[in-house]
Amino acid sequence: MTGITNVVSKRERDCLVLLKEQSSDDFPLRLHEIASTMKIKPPTALNIIRRLKSKGYVETQDGMIKLSDSGDRISSTILMVHRTFESLFCQSGVSESKACREASEIDFLINSDNAMKVLKRIDSPSLCPHGKPIKV
Amino acid sequence: MTGITNVVSKRERDCLVLLKEQSSDDFPLRLHEIASTMKIKPPTALNIIRRLKSKGYVETQDGMIKLSDSGDRISSTILMVHRTFESLFCQSGVSESKACREASEIDFLINSDNAMKVLKRIDSPSLCPHGKPIKV
DNA sequence: AATAATGTTAGTATAATGCTAATGCATGAC
DNA sequence: GTCATGCATTAGCATTATACTAACATTATT
């Protein structure tokens, strides 16, 4: 089996993407920031973080939460798939915001190898509709 | 809000598609047939059927299970989305069986309006890779 | 030191998914 | 006509994901 498929749930995916897009080694996120961004209460967020930790995707030090190497890798993959399908939807005439929402529902379910093939099929744009690089 | 989005779970989707593809008024399915096709035990299947019934997608008479009108409609929509993405994956170089599996993971999550736009974008094939009509 | 912010535990709830064991019902074999 | 077989259904249980509140603990800030 090649490619990456379906190892995280929807909310785990949301959390990974949040960490990938809005944190860095210099600016790791705090639990309450994750909770408020995800519009959930801290105990709920803690639960998700705990699951991600047990999968090895997240590390915490002094309440600071950041992606592990493998978390960074899987987040990049999810974002690549996300931007590929976001681009597809936009090329098809779907609005940017709807394209983004739709892509978020499926990006963590789709095998990365298959997504890369789709990317070629839709003329390999290098940037997603928001202007971010598809392949990182 | 237009189009149809996310009103069924994965297994409800599987069951709807099974009923749509392998039953008719003349040949409705029995519970144990659904269970064995879905590789689950009858009580588990009964649970899914019960949920579909409560959503108005399925009717039963004398142990015979068939789609209601609205169940038929939503199943058709799911299949349209399925075949659209299956076609996309195949056009991209994914094998027929992998394309089908991948499409099954997402077809019930994608808004039908968006799928129809994607269908146009991929040159509006009238048949899916298995030779079945995409638009019913 | 007191208050505020933050993190964590404990307990609860729901939905989806799955199972086994037991019961109920109908039908065909004998 | 009874009995076995097949099928449907109920009851009970378990797991995972998701989410909440209330309470407690810890850490900062003033």
Side-chain angles (χ1 to χ4, degrees):
Chain A
M1 188 73 88
T2 54
I4 294 177
T5 323
N6 194 18
V7 275
V8 291
S9 71
K10 178 62 165 57
R11 290 310 248 162
E12 285 163 12
R13 172 261 175 221
D14 291 341
C15 193
L16 286 174
V17 168
L18 173 61
L19 284 164
K20 178 72 183 174
E21 290 191 318
Q22 283 175 37
S23 77
S24 64
D25 279 338
D26 296 340
F27 295 100
L29 291 180
R30 316 226 47 165
L31 185 68
H32 74 273
E33 296 175 297
I34 292 174
S36 75
T37 307
M38 290 181 73
K39 297 185 208 302
I40 55 182
K41 303 296 168 191
T44 305
L46 187 63
N47 226 291
I48 293 165
I49 294 296
R50 210 178 271 144
R51 291 203 307 268
L52 288 173
K53 239 165 130 179
S54 83
K55 292 177 183 180
Y57 295 144
V58 144
E59 289 160 2
T60 53
Q61 339 166 307
D62 316 312
M64 297 309 216
I65 297 156
K66 54 173 212 155
L67 293 173
S68 69
D69 286 351
S70 86
D72 192 78
R73 256 178 278 126
I74 193 174
S75 301
S76 295
T77 301
I78 290 172
L79 279 179
M80 180 276 286
V81 179
H82 179 88
R83 290 170 184 162
T84 295
F85 280 83
E86 199 175 33
S87 299
L88 167 68
F89 286 121
C90 275
Q91 285 184 13
S92 306
V94 177
S95 75
E96 212 172 289
S97 68
K98 283 186 185 173
C100 186
R101 235 179 300 147
E102 199 75 290
S104 301
E105 295 296 320
I106 61 175
D107 52 18
F108 64 107
L109 296 171
I110 291 175
N111 180 282
S112 57
D113 285 350
N114 293 345
M116 280 193 281
K117 287 176 181 169
V118 169
L119 184 61
K120 272 188 201 148
R121 168 67 181 80
I122 62 167
D123 312 312
S124 302
S126 56
L127 302 177
C128 80
H130 304 295
K132 294 185 180 168
I134 295 179
K135 278 195 172 173
V136 191
Chain B
M1 191 70 90
T2 54
I4 294 175
T5 324
N6 193 19
V7 274
V8 292
S9 70
K10 177 61 163 59
R11 291 310 248 161
E12 284 163 13
R13 172 260 175 222
D14 290 342
C15 192
L16 285 174
V17 167
L18 173 62
L19 283 163
K20 178 74 182 175
E21 289 191 318
Q22 284 176 36
S23 77
S24 64
D25 280 338
D26 296 342
F27 294 101
L29 292 181
R30 317 228 43 167
L31 186 68
H32 74 273
E33 295 175 296
I34 292 174
S36 76
T37 308
M38 290 181 72
K39 299 186 205 302
I40 54 182
K41 302 296 168 191
T44 305
L46 188 62
N47 227 290
I48 293 166
I49 294 296
R50 209 178 273 143
R51 291 202 307 266
L52 288 173
K53 241 165 130 178
S54 82
K55 293 178 183 180
Y57 295 144
V58 144
E59 289 159 2
T60 52
Q61 338 165 307
D62 315 313
M64 298 309 215
I65 296 157
K66 55 173 209 155
L67 293 173
S68 68
D69 287 349
S70 86
D72 192 78
R73 255 178 279 127
I74 194 172
S75 301
S76 295
T77 300
I78 290 171
L79 279 180
M80 181 276 288
V81 179
H82 178 89
R83 289 169 186 163
T84 295
F85 280 83
E86 199 175 35
S87 299
L88 167 68
F89 286 120
C90 275
Q91 285 183 13
S92 306
V94 177
S95 75
E96 213 171 291
S97 69
K98 282 187 186 173
C100 186
R101 236 179 299 145
E102 198 75 288
S104 301
E105 296 295 322
I106 62 174
D107 53 17
F108 65 107
L109 295 172
I110 292 177
N111 180 280
S112 58
D113 286 349
N114 293 346
M116 280 192 281
K117 287 176 180 168
V118 170
L119 184 60
K120 271 187 203 149
R121 167 67 181 82
I122 62 166
D123 313 311
S124 301
S126 55
L127 302 178
C128 80
H130 305 294
K132 292 187 181 169
I134 294 178
K135 278 194 170 174
V136 191

